[in-house]
Structure formats: structure tokens, C-alpha cells
Amino acid sequence: TFFTMSLANFREIGKKIVCVGLNYSEHAKELGNPLPKKPLLFVKTTNSYLTEGNPIEAPPDCTNFQQEVELGVIISKLAKNVRKEEAMDFVGGYTVALDMTARDFQHEASKDGTPWFLAKSFDTSCPIAEFIDKHKLDPTNCELFCRINGVEKQKSNTNDMIFDIPTLIAYITQYVTLYPGDLLLTGTPAGVTQLNSGDQIEFGITDIIKATFFVK
Amino acid sequence: TFFTMSLANFREIGKKIVCVGLNYSEHAKELGNPLPKKPLLFVKTTNSYLTEGNPIEAPPDCTNFQQEVELGVIISKLAKNVRKEEAMDFVGGYTVALDMTARDFQHEASKDGTPWFLAKSFDTSCPIAEFIDKHKLDPTNCELFCRINGVEKQKSNTNDMIFDIPTLIAYITQYVTLYPGDLLLTGTPAGVTQLNSGDQIEFGITDIIKATFFVK
Ligand SMILES: [Mg+2]
Ligand SMILES: [Mg+2]
Ligand SMILES: [Mg+2]
């Protein structure tokens, strides 16, 4: 349909990327964090988007550059104060993305109590794969993977999420209106890795989609 | 010109609101913070925008709702790795805005080392005045004011900024591309106030512009 085709341009249509931190318990453990009692939200702005064929670049002076593979949920219509029971009606499709993170910037910000903006929202910090039609994926039961230079580093089923997609949409839209084309990144499983220049990152959803990027 | 007219629609054209914290020394003191050594950056997303005639609403369960009057700088063209000396060429106009803040959410986030997103980017968190042509304002020497229920609470000249506009644009664009219509909020002077339902907020730039909003 025209609508689905247009939503495939979510990068141009959308206004923001709302991200969830620590939404898989094994990842919270590897970072040494307690499990969150409510969704931990932050944002990437659209300058973060990167499509295949373009290099991922660490921001200036970053010394610990890491990837986080995440299921992306694409919002189809204006969403405010959405009830959990109706939340999936606001989902128009999916993608898979990397939440690229300047981990040293993030640790410094957390220590100082300052914002995460530069740690998370620098240019090229959100490499994405193609749009996935909403009928072609079960977001509650699919397997995310990420390989660095051919070696498997992340592999986990989305059924391990702490806060599921309807819970996230209901929580976020109490505070923040979501628009058509906005992207929700639902958190990463364990296995984040310190990257080096030249590394190849393959990531995707098993049997559904895959993308490949390189670190400049 | 057509260009200036179109930039007056910066709320629709732009993709983000990049904000600077603690950019006036008296405000840093009133919050009990040390002066920053580099610009402290965070972001509001476009759901934050609010125009006159619409009520400002505190987010659910906020118990300390505060206003921060700030000079807004509107970006006119794509800006990446801009040098300080050329930074003003990327400015297309100005506005004056409130950086509405759920101070209790912000303090909790700072204490926990978590992001500021919900403290700063909830719906209605960025009430704005009209577009100001770039030739009608000297951003290095103008007086911001804010009155609550007719009582003056904030009044300060922009010449008290710690990091000036060219420094901010040069710093930000090392990390983050700015797009036409993006808004840069340059920080608030001292005098932030805890607000109550029904409060009237008048704010502006002396002899240049004024806007009036109410807290729901
Ligand atoms: Mg993440
Ligand atoms: Mg001075
Ligand atoms: Mg502020």
C-alpha cells in the first residue's frame, strides 16, 4: 500500500528516535547496573541515522566505542496517552538498528549526572537496516544477532525484554507524543563489544533481515 | 525574502532542539553546580514545541515544575564541523523560548546517572515566541526577562553567557550535524522559579519581543 511504502521512508518522515536502556537483564548485568524499575529512556536525533554503504564513525576523542543491536519499532500514527491494550495499533513496521555508543562519554556523563546526548546522538550513531512490514515479524519472539569481523557477539531472543513494546509505548506516550515515522529502539541484549577502526559489523534478525557496516 | 519566511516555520522544518545547560554563572550557582569546563548539551525533541494560546502542562507526577527563559538561535543551513569564525553565517534568526523543566525528574536523573529525557522533553516543554529576523537583534547584547504573575523573576543580559553562540555552534557541530530550522537554546540566567497551576508566564527580550503563556 501507499501508506506502507511511505512509512518505509521513516528516516525522513520521523522526528526522533526514542531509545530504551537496560531492557535486557543480561546486558544490565554486563554494564554493572541494577535492573530498572521503570523504562530508562533517552533519545537520538535524526542526524544519527546511517544507511548501508556509509561508514560508522566514532565521535572525536572517544576511546571506547561500542555497538548495541536493537529491534526498532516504527510508529504509524500520532500516539499520545496510548493504552497498553491498543498500543500495537500504533506500530506500522519494524527495523533492526545499532545503538552506537561512546561508552566512555556515557560513563563520564553518568558519573557527573550530566546528559547522555553526546554519548548517544553523534552523527552515524544509528545505523539501520531496511523497513520490515509489520505482518512479517513477531516482535515478541525473534532473534537479534550481531557479529564483529565474523565472530558472534550478540544473540538473544526479544522475548527476554524486561519491558515489552506495548508497555514501552504506553509509558512513553504519557509524557511524549510519538509521530508517524518516529523510531523506538527497544534495548540491546548482552554482548556489547569495544570496536576498532576497520571492524565489520553484521547485524540483523535471524531469517528475516541483515545489514553490514564498517567502522571508519 | 522567501527564505526568511520559510525559516519562520522553523518548528515544522527543524528536526531538533539542542539545549545548553548552566551557561550563565549565576544560574549554575543557584542550582549548586560548578561552572562547566565545556558546554553541557542535551536535547528536546519537537513534541516539546508550544505556541501562544496553548497551555503549558507539567508531566505526570512532576512535583517541582520550573521555567527557564532562553535565547533561541535558529540554524539556516546544514552545519557540520563549523569553525567558530564562520559560525554566525549558519544563523538565520532568533526566538525566545522557555526551557520548561521537571526539576524533580532532573535531580533524580542526575543523582542516578540516568538520562534527562523525561525531565526536559515532555510535551509542551518548549513554549516559543515568534521568529526574529537575524538583522533585528544583537544576540551578544540583549536583555532576557521572565515575569511570573507580573513579578520579575529573571532578567539578564546575554553578554553574561559562559560559552557564546559561535563557540556553541563550533562545539556542537564537531559531533552533531545541525539542519535548517534546528533550534539552539543557549541557557538560562538565574531566577528559575517553582510554578503552580494557573500561573501566568510572560517572557521575552526587552524592547524586541514578548510572549505570554499559562500553566494548566
Ligand atoms: Mg541501547
Ligand atoms: Mg559578562
Ligand atoms: Mg535550560
Side-chain angles (χ1 to χ4, degrees):
Chain A
T1 69
F2 172 75
F3 180 71
T4 297
M5 284 173 59
S6 116
L7 205 57
N9 296 322
F10 65 92
R11 287 187 304 118
E12 276 81 43
I13 301 166
K15 292 286 195 170
K16 60 184 169 294
I17 306 164
V18 178
C19 305
V20 186
L22 307 179
N23 202 26
Y24 288 78
S25 54
E26 291 297 321
H27 173 62
K29 279 188 214 162
E30 78 180 343
L31 294 184
N33 289 297
L35 291 192
K37 293 190 183 61
K38 58 192 177 190
L40 187 160
L41 301 179
F42 62 95
V43 75
K44 287 178 185 272
T45 46
T46 60
N47 60 291
S48 304
Y49 278 129
L50 189 74
T51 51
E52 265 187 294
N54 298 296
I56 300 171
E57 291 191 59
D61 299 322
C62 170
T63 59
N64 186 357
F65 194 43
Q66 300 194 350
Q67 96 294 344
E68 304 184 348
V69 65
E70 311 205 358
L71 176 66
V73 177
I74 296 156
I75 299 299
S76 60
K77 55 187 179 183
L78 191 141
K80 173 67 178 173
N81 289 326
V82 169
R83 287 180 303 111
K84 203 166 151 173
E85 297 70 34
E86 61 177 353
M88 293 310 290
D89 298 344
F90 293 79
V91 173
Y94 303 95
T95 191
V96 61
L98 296 177
D99 169 15
M100 298 304 303
T101 302
R103 193 74 70 200
D104 51 331
F105 293 11
Q106 186 193 17
H107 285 160
E108 185 188 351
S110 284
K111 181 172 63 62
D112 295 346
T114 56
W116 291 14
F117 181 56
L118 291 184
K120 287 290 194 177
S121 198
F122 52 88
D123 291 344
T124 80
S125 67
C126 191
I128 48 165
E130 294 290 306
F131 178 81
I132 305 167
D133 186 276
K134 68 183 288 183
H135 303 294
K136 300 208 169 138
L137 184 79
D138 176 1
T140 69
N141 183 21
C142 61
E143 186 183 70
L144 300 174
F145 70 86
C146 184
R147 291 192 289 271
I148 309 297
N149 302 323
V151 179
E152 184 182 291
K153 295 291 184 180
Q154 298 190 272
K155 191 171 204 172
S156 188
N157 195 295
T158 57
N159 64 18
D160 282 333
M161 282 186 197
I162 298 170
F163 301 106
D164 65 11
I165 294 168
T167 301
L168 292 171
I169 292 175
Y171 182 78
I172 293 165
T173 65
Q174 286 187 281
Y175 301 94
V176 169
T177 300
L178 296 175
Y179 300 116
D182 282 357
L183 179 63
L184 169 60
L185 294 188
T186 53
T188 199
V192 300
T193 312
Q194 185 162 346
L195 300 167
N196 296 300
S197 183
D199 282 350
Q200 182 202 55
I201 311 178
E202 297 166 282
F203 65 97
I205 303 173
T206 304
D207 297 331
I208 305 270
I209 199 168
K210 191 189 124 173
T212 305
F213 288 79
F214 290 86
V215 179
K216 189 173 175 176
Chain B
T1 68
F2 172 76
F3 180 71
T4 297
M5 285 172 60
S6 116
L7 206 57
N9 296 321
F10 65 92
R11 286 186 305 118
E12 276 80 45
I13 301 166
K15 293 285 195 171
K16 60 184 169 293
I17 306 164
V18 178
C19 304
V20 186
L22 306 179
N23 201 27
Y24 288 79
S25 55
E26 290 298 320
H27 173 62
K29 278 187 213 160
E30 77 181 343
L31 293 184
N33 289 297
L35 291 192
K37 294 191 182 62
K38 58 192 176 190
L40 186 160
L41 300 180
F42 62 95
V43 75
K44 286 177 186 272
T45 46
T46 61
N47 60 293
S48 304
Y49 277 130
L50 190 74
T51 52
E52 265 187 296
N54 298 296
I56 300 171
E57 290 190 59
D61 299 321
C62 170
T63 59
N64 186 357
F65 194 43
Q66 300 194 349
Q67 95 295 344
E68 304 185 348
V69 65
E70 311 205 358
L71 176 65
V73 177
I74 297 156
I75 299 299
S76 61
K77 55 186 179 184
L78 191 142
K80 174 67 180 173
N81 288 327
V82 169
R83 287 179 302 110
K84 203 166 153 174
E85 296 71 32
E86 62 178 353
M88 293 310 290
D89 297 344
F90 293 79
V91 173
Y94 303 95
T95 190
V96 61
L98 296 177
D99 169 15
M100 297 304 303
T101 302
R103 194 73 69 200
D104 51 331
F105 293 12
Q106 186 193 17
H107 285 160
E108 186 188 350
S110 284
K111 181 173 63 63
D112 295 345
T114 56
W116 291 13
F117 181 56
L118 291 183
K120 288 290 195 177
S121 198
F122 52 89
D123 291 343
T124 81
S125 67
C126 191
I128 48 166
E130 295 289 306
F131 178 81
I132 304 167
D133 186 276
K134 69 182 288 184
H135 303 296
K136 299 207 169 140
L137 184 80
D138 175 1
T140 69
N141 183 19
C142 60
E143 186 183 69
L144 300 174
F145 69 86
C146 184
R147 292 193 288 269
I148 309 297
N149 303 322
V151 179
E152 183 182 292
K153 295 292 184 180
Q154 297 190 271
K155 192 172 204 172
S156 188
N157 195 295
T158 57
N159 65 18
D160 279 334
M161 281 185 198
I162 298 171
F163 301 106
D164 66 10
I165 295 168
T167 301
L168 292 171
I169 291 174
Y171 183 77
I172 292 165
T173 64
Q174 285 186 282
Y175 301 94
V176 169
T177 299
L178 296 175
Y179 301 116
D182 282 357
L183 179 63
L184 169 61
L185 292 188
T186 53
T188 199
V192 300
T193 311
Q194 184 162 348
L195 300 166
N196 296 299
S197 182
D199 282 350
Q200 182 203 55
I201 312 179
E202 297 166 280
F203 66 96
I205 303 172
T206 304
D207 297 331
I208 305 269
I209 198 168
K210 191 189 124 173
T212 305
F213 288 78
F214 290 86
V215 179
K216 189 173 176 177

